[in-house]
Amino acid sequence: MSKAVKCQQVMEALERIAPKRLAEEWDNPGLLLGSPAQEVHKILTCLDVTDEVVAEAASLGADMIVAHHPMIFKGIKKLRTDLPLGARLQKLMVHGIAVAAAHTNLDTAEGGVNDVLAKAIGLTDIQPFAAKAEEGAEPTLGRIGYLPESIAIEDFARQVKENLPVEYVRLVRAGDKAVKKVALCSGAGAEFIAKASFLGADAYVTGDVKYHEAQQAVEMGIHVIDGGHFGTEFPVAAVLAERLREELSGLKGEVEVVTDTLSRDVFAVI
């Protein structure tokens, strides 16, 4: 077997891709399970560390999972292996699989979740959605950009659906105005609807939009396309794998990076 890299080297690569300083205060990115000294031959990137992903990692012989969503958010007072999280942690430890996460830091980072989403749905001239005014300031959550030409909101909604791993999108139509300027925030970003409207966006793309938030959008005259939490974030898994390959390619050790291909959205249309 070829010489592996250390888990710490993977974490250093992840830090270059998505610096932890960009994470929100409430977040819990970083190495969540395992040792920095652990040898890593194969990494699996994913959105969520589910039972299916753990089984996939074990079957592929992966010794590390790098996820977007942290599998541990709060302190654990009991490790009950008869409950889902405890059982999952036990399986990971039995198979010697380390787990790391890059969450809101990867949302915010250049080339991260929101940039991947913006490019996937066809935007150009992409800028940080809520960027600070100072030159050289850190990027912030969300992005804003433009379509090559104005199109009807129904056509744009179909474009979003066709370019994300979803069976459907939900459209909140605010009149008949065409769409040219688009704001977005991957995952659950309905809190930025008002900001997107203030910035002059014709449409806003996010996930997990609630009824009253949709009403607010209509009142403000901004279309909203809800592509779902999974749909707006899962595409980053493949991009993260490619970024890790690039960052780790110059090391003396060898490591293979693969992407979760089995996960599906838990929501379905019946």
Side-chain angles (χ1 to χ4, degrees), residues 169-191:
V169 298
R170 297 191 301 162
L171 171 61
V172 179
R173 188 185 294 102
D176 298 322
K177 70 174 179 179
V179 177
K180 174 72 173 181
K181 188 175 184 179
V182 178
L184 62 88
C185 183
S186 61
E191 64 188 279

Side-chain angles (χ1 to χ4, degrees), residues 19-40:
K20 288 180 70 174
R21 68 176 184 273
L22 300 179
E24 299 293 305
E25 291 183 1
W26 50 263
D27 203 2
N28 190 37
L31 184 61
L32 304 177
L33 179 65
S35 166
Q38 179 176 335
E39 290 191 340
V40 177

Side-chain angles (χ1 to χ4, degrees), residues 7-264:
C7 178
Q8 178 60 32
Q9 293 175 297
V10 178
M11 295 310 301
E12 289 168 358
L14 195 58
E15 176 68 15
R16 292 191 292 272
I17 294 168
K20 288 180 70 174
R21 68 176 184 273
L22 300 179
E24 299 293 305
E25 291 183 1
W26 50 263
D27 203 2
N28 190 37
L31 184 61
L32 304 177
L33 179 65
S35 166
Q38 179 176 335
E39 290 191 340
V40 177
H41 293 90
K42 182 180 286 189
I43 300 167
L44 175 68
T45 63
C46 64
L47 180 62
D48 298 288
V49 184
T50 61
D51 290 336
E52 292 75 17
V53 166
V54 173
E56 182 182 10
S59 68
L60 291 172
D63 16 51
M64 186 170 187
I65 294 172
V66 177
H68 179 45
H69 292 144
M71 66 180 297
I72 300 172
F73 260 114
K74 300 178 180 179
I76 299 176
K77 295 183 178 180
K78 298 178 182 178
L79 191 57
R80 291 272 301 271
T81 57
D82 59 325
L83 298 176
L85 179 58
R88 196 173 305 131
L89 288 168
Q90 183 182 43
K91 290 176 184 175
L92 288 162
M93 287 187 282
V94 165
H95 289 286
I97 301 172
V99 177
H103 191 207
T104 53
N105 48 324
L106 187 59
D107 286 324
T108 298
E110 184 177 351
V113 186
N114 282 293
D115 283 326
V116 171
L117 174 59
K119 292 176 182 177
I121 63 175
L123 302 190
T124 60
D125 191 20
I126 302 162
Q127 302 293 327
F129 169 37
K132 298 175 184 176
E134 307 89 49
E135 185 177 353
E138 297 282 15
T140 54
L141 287 172
R143 297 293 186 265
I144 193 160
Y146 297 85
L147 293 170
E149 58 185 28
S150 296
I151 61 175
I153 181 57
E154 293 81 6
D155 292 333
F156 181 51
R158 281 188 283 270
Q159 179 172 310
V160 171
K161 175 187 172 184
E162 290 167 1
N163 287 283
L164 296 182
V166 296
E167 296 180 7
Y168 68 96
V169 298
R170 297 191 301 162
L171 171 61
V172 179
R173 188 185 294 102
D176 298 322
K177 70 174 179 179
V179 177
K180 174 72 173 181
K181 188 175 184 179
V182 178
L184 62 88
C185 183
S186 61
E191 64 188 279
F192 296 128
I193 288 174
K195 181 70 172 180
S197 177
F198 176 78
L199 291 174
D202 303 309
Y204 183 56
V205 179
T206 190
D208 297 348
V209 178
K210 298 178 181 179
Y211 176 73
H212 293 297
E213 295 165 336
Q215 284 185 319
Q216 176 193 24
V218 172
E219 292 169 356
M220 292 184 168
I222 183 171
H223 306 297
V224 172
I225 298 171
D226 185 335
H229 205 119
F230 179 90
T232 57
E233 293 193 333
F234 185 75
V236 81
V239 175
L240 179 57
E242 183 57 36
R243 295 284 302 279
L244 282 170
R245 290 187 199 104
E246 294 172 358
E247 291 290 339
L248 297 169
S249 62
L251 300 180
K252 292 182 179 179
E254 295 183 13
V255 61
E256 182 181 359
V257 188
V258 297
T259 304
D260 164 36
T261 60
L262 301 181
S263 294
R264 299 291 183 271

